[in-house]
Amino acid sequence: MSEIINNRQQRIEIMKSLIRRLHSGVAEEQIKAQLGALLDEADYSDVFLMEVQLIQEGIPQESIQELCDTHTRVLRKHLDLQETPETIPGHPVHTFVQENKELTRTTGQIRVLLGRLERLADGADATAAMREIQQLLNNLMDADKHYRRKEHLLFPYFEKADLPGPPAVMWGKHDEVRQLLRLTIEGLQQVETLDAAEARAYSLLSVTPAIDAVDEMVYKEEKILFPTALNLLTEQDWYQIYLQSDEYGYCLYAPEFAWQPEGGVQGEVGRPAALDGRVQMPTGSFTVAELIGLFSTLPFDLTFVDADDTVRYFTPGKERIFDRSRAILGRKVQYCHPPKSVHVVNQIVKDFRAGKQERAQFWINMRGQMIYICYYAVRDAAGRYLGTLEVTQDLTEVRSLTGERRLLSYDSDEQG
């Protein structure tokens, strides 16, 4: 019969009929068997259009979302034939796919630790494994940046093409993944109050659904969303997404290559106005090149976290004290710290936001250096909290100064 069903809309109608039966309660395995017998030619675009038409025909978006994972399992035989899209480095889809590789590598590490945890008898070893799992789950929270780039940069193009349904369903699945990860991390932070056996049981039961959800989203993106998007968007559309991606940050991966669309940039490009002129400040102005040079020259490290606890900027100094990667941009500051110190971060931010404090100081000895770390509350003219500035400085040389220097003497002269 598969030879007869060679018309695309006919294939979609059959899938719609079977998916409706799935929504009415027919067993998943029965639907899967019927699809396998009837459809040998279905591809990602059929699946996407099927969801569009089902929503247009009255199946609530919430119902599609509720059974979204079931749909994917039922159609997996056909989706498995779809190759992961190939794009050149720097293209937004290439970046999305590289991030997915890091996400699945991380979920794989967690699965290994869960297997080890199940076999551990010693309570201390089990606790150590759980701490590793918790840190890896913190890393998975970076998926939020990946999802927000899809939601705010990619999905609008589907809406402009009058195809809002499937992206809206996927957005709902993003929220489910976020909640699963957040609740799992919060739960694991409490397991120290349980004995080793209870802690292991809790970890095994709570962590698996969270990492399964992350892996399932990767599959949906690479088998359905990205192939569809590559057919829908123009190269100039992708360039607009590329230009705005830094604002949202990246997920466990920092793009290494600049990218321009094939054939070059056409027409007006939505770059920030500051790139065409000077950035005006209350006490002066800079070109963007001057600002970049100034922040690169500062003899200390700056990191800015905005009022929503999101890392927005760090200085690219030549000799940073603590390494920074663009992968932290857009990440919640709480997930940039080990679990044992998150409560300190939360307390500082809470006190700054409430106006109770303006500065928090720390100093440590590290590899023979005296490192000074100071957090400052950043406020506007009306005193409204805008975020937190972290300033890190090596004070070793400053602390060693004695006497005075009143005459010009370059350090290079002394060394020569």
Side-chain angles (χ1 to χ4, degrees):
M1 186 172 178
S2 60
E3 293 83 4
I4 300 173
I5 306 168
N6 53 14
N7 178 276
R8 186 185 195 193
Q9 187 56 42
Q10 284 181 307
R11 293 198 302 270
I12 293 172
E13 291 296 335
I14 290 173
M15 286 194 291
K16 283 160 53 180
S17 173
L18 291 171
I19 293 300
R20 284 195 193 96
R21 295 183 64 198
L22 187 66
H23 279 255
S24 69
V26 175
E28 180 179 321
E29 289 303 317
Q30 181 179 339
I31 300 298
K32 190 184 297 184
Q34 289 178 308
L35 274 171
L38 292 172
L39 301 173
D40 289 332
E41 300 177 7
D43 65 14
Y44 70 90
S45 59
D46 294 336
V47 177
F48 186 88
L49 286 176
M50 176 197 72
E51 286 198 354
V52 170
Q53 293 179 20
L54 284 173
I55 293 172
Q56 290 173 342
E57 292 168 12
I59 290 189
Q61 179 182 306
E62 295 77 13
S63 298
I64 299 285
Q65 181 178 321
E66 185 178 343
L67 285 174
C68 186
D69 295 339
T70 308
H71 297 171
T72 306
R73 286 195 299 272
V74 167
L75 295 161
R76 189 172 290 265
K77 172 185 173 182
H78 308 286
L79 293 175
D80 282 345
L81 301 176
Q82 174 66 41
E83 298 289 337
T84 298
E86 290 285 342
T87 51
I88 66 172
H91 188 288
V93 170
H94 183 274
T95 299
F96 278 128
V97 171
Q98 297 308 307
E99 290 175 325
N100 280 344
K101 289 179 180 178
E102 292 302 312
L103 286 170
T104 53
R105 184 177 68 84
T106 303
T107 58
Q109 291 175 317
I110 293 174
R111 293 184 197 282
V112 170
L113 284 167
L114 287 173
R116 185 190 308 166
L117 185 63
E118 200 167 10
R119 298 187 297 271
L120 288 173
D122 182 77
D125 290 342
T127 300
M130 284 188 294
R131 294 281 75 80
E132 284 189 68
I133 290 171
Q134 187 176 341
Q135 185 58 58
L136 289 169
L137 286 168
N138 281 348
N139 293 343
L140 286 182
M141 287 297 293
D142 248 21
D144 176 64
K145 295 182 289 184
H146 180 99
Y147 297 160
R148 285 191 294 122
R149 293 208 318 280
K150 288 163 58 184
E151 293 162 356
H152 299 295
L153 300 181
L154 177 56
F155 289 175
Y157 287 96
F158 286 86
E159 294 159 9
K160 291 175 186 175
D162 199 26
L163 299 170
V169 169
M170 183 169 278
W171 195 322
K173 300 302 289 184
H174 292 170
D175 290 341
E176 289 180 12
V177 176
R178 291 174 174 122
Q179 184 177 28
L180 273 171
L181 287 171
R182 185 174 63 254
L183 292 177
T184 302
I185 291 169
E186 290 174 358
L188 287 177
Q189 289 172 344
Q190 308 302 320
V191 297
E192 290 179 354
T193 62
L194 307 176
D195 64 35
E198 291 173 325
R200 276 199 300 273
Y202 181 87
S203 299
L204 293 167
L205 288 173
S206 65
V207 174
T208 301
I211 61 177
D212 283 349
V214 172
D215 287 344
E216 191 69 21
M217 182 57 67
V218 169
Y219 187 86
K220 290 185 179 78
E221 288 178 359
E222 298 189 1
K223 300 299 184 181
I224 302 175
L225 179 69
F226 296 153
T228 304
L230 285 168
N231 282 334
L232 179 66
L233 276 67
T234 67
E235 286 284 279
Q236 300 303 315
D237 294 335
W238 286 115
Y239 191 55
Q240 291 293 338
I241 291 174
Y242 166 80
L243 288 176
Q244 299 173 74
S245 291
D246 276 0
E247 179 182 346
Y248 294 90
Y250 302 96
C251 168
L252 304 178
Y253 167 80
E256 300 175 6
F257 302 94
W259 178 78
Q260 281 198 354
E262 188 174 344
V265 180
Q266 301 172 9
E268 293 295 323
V269 176
R271 289 181 177 275
L275 290 177
D276 299 323
R278 300 184 71 83
V279 180
Q280 189 65 46
M281 305 283 198
T283 54
S285 66
F286 299 87
T287 66
V288 171
E290 290 168 347
L291 270 177
I292 292 172
L294 184 152
F295 281 113
S296 299
T297 306
L298 289 174
F300 39 80
D301 300 343
L302 304 180
T303 302
F304 176 65
V305 177
D306 71 12
D308 294 323
D309 297 350
T310 301
V311 180
R312 290 300 182 191
Y313 178 79
F314 63 90
T315 49
K318 297 177 182 178
E319 297 181 6
R320 287 195 58 90
I321 296 168
F322 298 119
D323 290 336
R324 292 283 189 268
S325 161
R326 284 202 302 160
I328 72 165
L329 296 176
R331 194 178 190 189
K332 292 297 182 183
V333 67
Q334 288 83 358
Y335 298 116
C336 298
H337 294 265
K340 64 182 179 181
S341 63
V342 169
H343 70 286
V344 176
V345 175
N346 286 334
Q347 188 65 53
I348 292 171
V349 171
K350 179 181 177 182
D351 291 339
F352 284 2
R353 184 176 282 114
K356 295 179 179 179
Q357 298 292 334
E358 297 299 318
R359 182 178 70 171
Q361 302 179 82
F362 303 86
W363 48 92
I364 60 174
N365 287 293
M366 185 176 75
R367 297 189 295 272
Q369 298 172 303
M370 172 58 72
I371 306 301
Y372 176 62
I373 307 164
C374 193
Y375 298 89
Y376 296 91
V378 179
R379 306 189 189 281
D380 64 13
R384 183 172 62 95
Y385 175 71
L386 300 178
T388 295
L389 177 67
E390 178 192 78
V391 181
T392 306
Q393 187 174 10
D394 180 0
L395 294 182
T396 308
E397 183 179 4
V398 175
R399 284 165 58 91
S400 69
L401 296 177
T402 58
E404 295 181 337
R405 176 190 283 183
R406 291 179 174 267
L407 300 176
L408 175 63
S409 175
Y410 291 115
D411 293 341
S412 58
D413 292 341
E414 294 179 351
Q415 293 169 1

